[in-house]
Amino acid sequence: MEEDERGKLLIDSLQLDFGKTTVLQCAYMTAYKGKVTGVLGRNGTGKSCLFKCIMGGIRPQNKFIRLNDEERTDYGHIGLRVKYLPQEHFIPRGMRVGRAFELYGVDYNKMIAFAPAYEDYKNMKFKELSGGEQRIAEVFLVLNADAEFCILDEPFSNIAPCYDEKIRNLILEQKATKGIIITDHIYEEIIKVADDLYLLRDGYTHQVHSREDLVRLEYIRG
Amino acid sequence: MNFLQKIKLSFRYGVGYFIVAAIPTFGALWALISNGPDGEGQFICSVLKLISIPIVWYLYKTFDNKNTIYFFLNLGISRTEYYVIPIVIEYIFFRILFRLVVYVYPLINAWLYGGG
């Protein structure tokens, strides 16, 4: 299938300033359905800001976002079509685990099949789970929710190594039906799952085709 | 997600706003009772309430968990709806209490003191 025939999420001309500090300038990115798009970058290069701008949590000075080449898209309610996993815990601490799954329309039995320990957690509040357990539930919830695109901000952080492979497999399984945008500092994990790669540096996005590009752009040492 | 569901959810995420806003709301209503439910009392009460809205909103926005908004954005609630719905609901609640005081205060006064 040609890339342009697939569903796509296009971000272009993204300009974000905080006072005199420019975080993103002319940032662009195209993510396709059926593909995993990785975003790499050092700390503070604006990866999370880029995602928050897409979701509408931060209002940038300028942005151009287009879903599936539609002339008119309701960007105010983009969450109906694009699900976002922030870097930190985002589910209300007082909410019961089962209720969060209910609201997102995800079958809790799937969660039990993914991680059997969660059988006892359904009626517990998120604040009663450990940080890692919360994170696994959040990653699973966002990946399994009905959406055209998923944005995952550091899904591998705070998670036990035994879950890394499970999450990687889940991402690869979910990319059959949706487009996935992912970032993490464990860049080897990103390289393993990503079909397309971008690097954020000095506010600009650079498309990365090989490991040499990452060395040239000073993200990793040669 | 329909609008009623969004309102229902706002009772979950807006609880912090409702708690903080309750203080100026009851303060404004106390001013209404103290000054009497006539024109002057109503004016003071309304001004106090209107001044408190941006202050309460600022406090709520400052101390609210910055990431929780994305749980609700993912459900199809827009950023504007996320902030505006609790303010509108709380204001409607205030108006109901306001009307109640305006209508009930003279009746209680008449019942207690046998006058108007």
Side-chain angles (χ1 to χ4, degrees):
Chain A
M1 194 190 292
E2 286 295 312
E3 281 190 339
D4 284 348
E5 288 173 20
R6 299 183 192 185
K8 73 174 176 185
L9 175 62
L10 170 73
I11 300 113
D12 202 357
S13 309
L14 192 58
Q15 174 79 29
L16 177 69
D17 303 316
F18 291 124
K20 287 179 181 171
T21 310
T22 298
V23 180
L24 296 166
Q25 43 192 333
C26 302
Y28 75 95
M29 190 173 75
T30 310
Y32 292 93
K33 261 189 185 176
K35 277 189 165 191
V36 176
T37 307
V39 181
L40 299 173
R42 289 185 177 184
N43 296 103
T45 48
K47 303 182 295 295
S48 299
C49 286
L50 169 72
F51 298 154
K52 286 175 181 176
C53 288
I54 296 171
M55 293 307 293
I58 293 178
R59 288 201 173 126
Q61 278 65 32
N62 187 54
K63 73 172 173 183
F64 178 83
I65 298 174
R66 184 169 277 186
L67 260 165
N68 305 337
D69 287 330
E70 290 165 9
E71 279 186 24
R72 291 180 70 86
T73 304
D74 180 8
Y75 296 117
H77 300 98
I78 200 166
L80 290 170
R81 304 174 70 180
V82 181
K83 297 282 184 269
Y84 172 50
L85 173 84
Q87 207 176 98
E88 275 135 31
H89 299 307
F90 74 108
I91 299 180
R93 286 169 50 77
M95 184 174 274
R96 295 196 186 278
V97 179
R99 177 69 180 141
F101 276 73
E102 218 174 86
L103 283 169
Y104 274 58
V106 177
D107 183 4
Y108 193 76
N109 291 323
K110 279 187 184 176
M111 181 74 226
I112 297 170
F114 181 78
Y118 284 74
E119 197 169 358
D120 303 327
Y121 297 166
K122 193 176 180 181
N123 292 317
M124 283 169 76
K125 291 180 178 174
F126 268 89
K127 64 182 173 191
E128 292 168 335
L129 305 186
S130 73
E133 287 170 331
Q134 284 181 49
R135 193 66 182 160
I136 291 164
E138 288 173 345
V139 173
F140 188 86
L141 197 59
V142 168
L143 271 169
N144 281 278
D146 185 28
E148 292 170 47
F149 287 89
C150 278
I151 301 175
L152 309 174
D153 197 346
E154 300 194 10
F156 297 104
S157 59
N158 295 326
I159 283 179
C162 61
Y163 280 106
D164 283 357
E165 197 183 343
K166 277 187 162 189
I167 289 173
R168 207 166 50 234
N169 290 338
L170 186 62
I171 290 168
L172 294 172
E173 182 190 312
Q174 289 296 322
K175 85 165 186 179
T177 53
K178 55 187 79 162
I180 293 169
I181 302 170
I182 186 169
T183 184
D184 208 292
H185 288 296
I186 309 170
Y187 72 95
E188 294 288 0
E189 290 289 345
I190 302 299
I191 292 170
K192 275 181 202 166
V193 293
D195 299 295
D196 296 326
L197 264 182
Y198 289 89
L199 180 83
L200 266 172
R201 188 176 174 233
D202 302 327
Y204 294 99
T205 37
H206 304 265
Q207 200 153 12
V208 174
H209 300 287
S210 64
R211 206 180 172 85
E212 287 69 43
D213 287 343
L214 291 176
V215 176
R216 184 175 52 81
L217 291 162
E218 296 171 347
Y219 180 66
I220 54 173
R221 287 186 187 146
Chain B
M1 175 167 284
N2 62 39
F3 200 67
L4 271 177
Q5 286 171 310
K6 287 179 185 177
I7 290 172
K8 207 177 151 193
L9 270 179
S10 75
F11 283 97
R12 176 176 283 280
Y13 67 77
V15 69
Y17 179 83
F18 297 140
I19 290 168
V20 182
I23 300 161
T25 290
F26 288 112
L29 290 169
W30 181 249
L32 177 67
I33 293 166
S34 309
N35 291 284
D38 54 1
E40 192 192 345
Q42 288 187 24
F43 177 76
I44 294 169
C45 175
S46 301
V47 167
L48 281 176
K49 178 64 192 168
L50 289 175
I51 288 171
S52 76
I53 290 174
I55 299 167
V56 172
W57 185 74
Y58 174 77
L59 288 172
Y60 167 62
K61 211 168 166 250
T62 305
F63 295 107
D64 188 35
N65 182 342
K66 297 283 178 289
N67 287 305
T68 306
I69 186 173
Y70 295 104
F71 180 82
F72 297 98
L73 292 184
N74 279 346
L75 291 170
I77 295 173
S78 73
R79 188 175 183 266
T80 309
E81 287 166 346
Y82 180 82
Y83 288 116
V84 169
I85 292 174
I87 294 173
V88 172
I89 288 173
E90 201 278 331
Y91 191 74
I92 290 169
F93 177 71
F94 163 74
R95 289 305 299 185
I96 291 168
L97 287 180
F98 180 90
R99 298 292 353 150
L100 260 173
V101 170
V102 167
Y103 288 119
V104 173
Y105 181 82
L107 297 176
I108 294 173
N109 226 11
W111 180 66
L112 283 176
Y113 305 109

